[in-house]
Amino acid sequence: MTTRVIIHVLSLTLAGVVADNQAFCVRPSKEVTWPFIGTWRLVSYESRNEGGGVEYPLGREVVGQLMYDGEGNMSALVARADVPPFASGDLRGGTDAEVRAAFARFVAYFGTYSFDLRAGTVTHHVRSASFPNWTGTEQVRYFKAEGMRLLLSTPIVVDGRHVTAILIWERVGADPTQTRNLL
């Protein structure tokens, strides 16, 4: 059976389970699996303002890693690629300016996840984050598969403005056909 057929059968099964327009939101299980389990490398991170303008909050050169496991755990790290090292070389010995620059160019969080295949969303239940306001929250991400890539988008506030963050991830070390036919 091809992946496309399996997904089609799964979607028909989900349609039957999701009677009366009720949302179907599950943690990963043996019955329904999040199709994006694995490790992902950040390809790009941009934000789009309400007028459609594109900005690069961490610059055009970014690095990052996103991980989902089969037990429902996740972690995400996003950083500017050119963060200068602390002059002292000491983990806790950065100057105020060095620490501020490092913090402003890095976002990380971890926790668990659940997903709603019909709505095209994955919710990150944040256990802890470098941005403390996200700790203990649920961060909803809209997903779309494009070839070997996973696009996650979400509305956020940056510099006091409402924007949509768009992050494109590429599967690490996978068979190119594995993601291509998922959705």
Side-chain angles (χ1 to χ4, degrees):
M1 217 184 250
T2 69
T3 303
R4 190 171 295 256
V5 171
I6 292 170
I7 293 299
H8 182 69
V9 170
L10 177 62
S11 67
L12 292 175
T13 304
L14 291 176
V17 173
V18 185
D20 301 324
N21 247 352
Q22 296 177 10
F24 184 69
C25 187
V26 297
R27 292 201 185 270
S29 69
K30 301 232 185 289
E31 296 82 33
V32 180
T33 302
W34 173 236
F36 305 110
I37 290 172
T39 303
W40 299 81
R41 176 187 66 82
L42 185 63
V43 174
S44 71
Y45 168 33
E46 66 183 37
S47 66
R48 297 195 180 180
N49 61 35
E50 293 170 345
V54 176
E55 299 174 2
Y56 300 91
L58 296 177
R60 289 182 184 264
E61 298 299 321
V62 292
V63 293
Q65 184 168 289
L66 174 66
M67 296 177 71
Y68 294 107
D69 75 12
E71 302 299 316
N73 299 295
M74 62 79 50
S75 63
L77 300 100
V78 177
R80 188 172 171 135
D82 62 354
V83 177
F86 292 176
S88 70
D90 185 330
L91 179 65
R92 296 177 195 225
T95 66
D96 287 347
E98 288 171 329
V99 171
R100 182 170 178 77
F103 177 79
R105 293 176 173 108
F106 181 77
V107 177
Y109 63 94
F110 68 94
T112 59
Y113 68 96
S114 57
F115 56 92
D116 183 335
L117 292 175
R118 288 187 60 200
T121 61
V122 58
T123 301
H124 298 162
H125 308 276
V126 181
R127 185 167 159 209
S128 188
S130 62
F131 177 55
N133 297 45
W134 283 358
T135 299
T137 67
E138 294 184 347
Q139 297 294 313
V140 177
R141 308 293 187 245
Y142 297 90
F143 68 84
K144 182 177 177 182
E146 295 180 346
M148 283 290 294
R149 294 185 171 180
L150 172 65
L151 184 144
L152 295 180
S153 64
T154 189
I156 60 172
V157 176
V158 176
D159 297 328
R161 296 175 295 118
H162 294 273
V163 298
T164 299
I166 301 168
L167 291 89
I168 298 175
W169 303 90
E170 187 170 70
R171 190 181 291 275
V172 173
D175 175 356
T177 61
Q178 187 175 0
T179 303
R180 189 162 317 217
N181 300 318
L182 282 173
L183 298 175

